[in-house]
Amino acid sequence: DGGNSRVQVFTPGGAHRLSFGSEGSGPGQFFHPAAIDCDSQGRVIWCADNDRQVKRLEKDGMHTVLSSGMNGQKFSGPNDIAIAADDAVYVTDNDFGLRDGGKNPDKQLQNGIYRIKNGETSLVLSASDLGGIPNGIALSPDGTWMYLSTANRRVRRYAVNPDGTLGTFTVFTEGVGIGDGMKTDTAGNL
């Protein structure tokens, strides 16, 4: 619930289970969280796009910054995440959050898909290689496929290599309504 700076948890049946968090940067607080997911230990990981970071909420309520970018350059606006079984975090970074977008003098990294693993951040796929500005991201339940949407309403399906890099792709679907917030269910449906 990014607009209310909190996380809401629902049962698989859709019933509201609990809410936590409030606006701020202290323990258990968020500032407009986006693209929330959980790692294998159940810790909440989210795109703190206004802070240009990817963060994790620890069990004691404290925040850990997983990444602010790479090679001393800051993310433009982490937009969406997918977490692999090995807890590698894939993040789409685009300049939607920057005033004047790519013309903003604060833009430092190219739009792309980044991978955060063991404290290291690497570029997995550039926006030009993706064929558009990255937006949504999801992984198949077995981690062998990555689905990436672009601002031009297209979803590509990429093979995920054992080392976390991406292999070949096919256009999975395209059209109106394609975008952000994609997830796969346990059967692999997008």
Side-chain angles (χ1 to χ4, degrees), residues 68-174:
S68 297
M70 69 178 223
N71 300 329
Q73 296 181 307
K74 293 175 94 171
F75 287 130
S76 298
N79 182 62
D80 206 353
I81 59 173
I83 302 174
D86 66 356
D87 285 336
V89 178
Y90 291 91
V91 59
T92 61
D93 183 44
N94 57 50
D95 50 31
F96 295 160
L98 292 175
R99 185 182 305 263
D100 298 323
K103 297 177 185 172
N104 187 307
D106 273 350
K107 176 137 180 86
Q108 297 175 17
L109 287 174
Q110 63 179 307
N111 293 333
I113 313 305
Y114 292 85
R115 181 176 183 256
I116 305 163
K117 178 73 175 157
N118 298 327
E120 298 292 322
T121 303
S122 58
L123 177 67
V124 176
L125 189 69
S126 69
S128 59
D129 289 338
L130 177 61
I133 297 171
N135 197 3
I137 186 171
L139 286 165
S140 63
D142 64 4
T144 59
W145 300 106
M146 180 179 289
Y147 301 89
L148 294 168
S149 71
T150 63
N152 62 6
R153 299 183 241 168
R154 180 174 298 130
V155 175
R156 288 184 175 183
R157 184 176 80 167
Y158 285 83
V160 179
N161 298 321
D163 65 357
T165 60
L166 299 182
T168 59
F169 76 89
T170 59
V171 173
F172 184 73
T173 189
E174 56 188 318

Side-chain angles (χ1 to χ4, degrees), residues 13-52:
H16 185 264
R17 195 170 130 216
L18 67 101
S19 297
F20 62 91
S22 60
E23 188 167 318
S25 58
Q29 294 183 315
F30 303 93
F31 185 74
H32 303 285
I36 295 169
D37 206 344
C38 292
D39 67 9
S40 65
Q41 297 181 42
R43 297 173 297 185
V44 173
I45 297 175
W46 76 98
C47 292
D49 55 350
N50 290 320
D51 295 327
R52 300 169 72 178

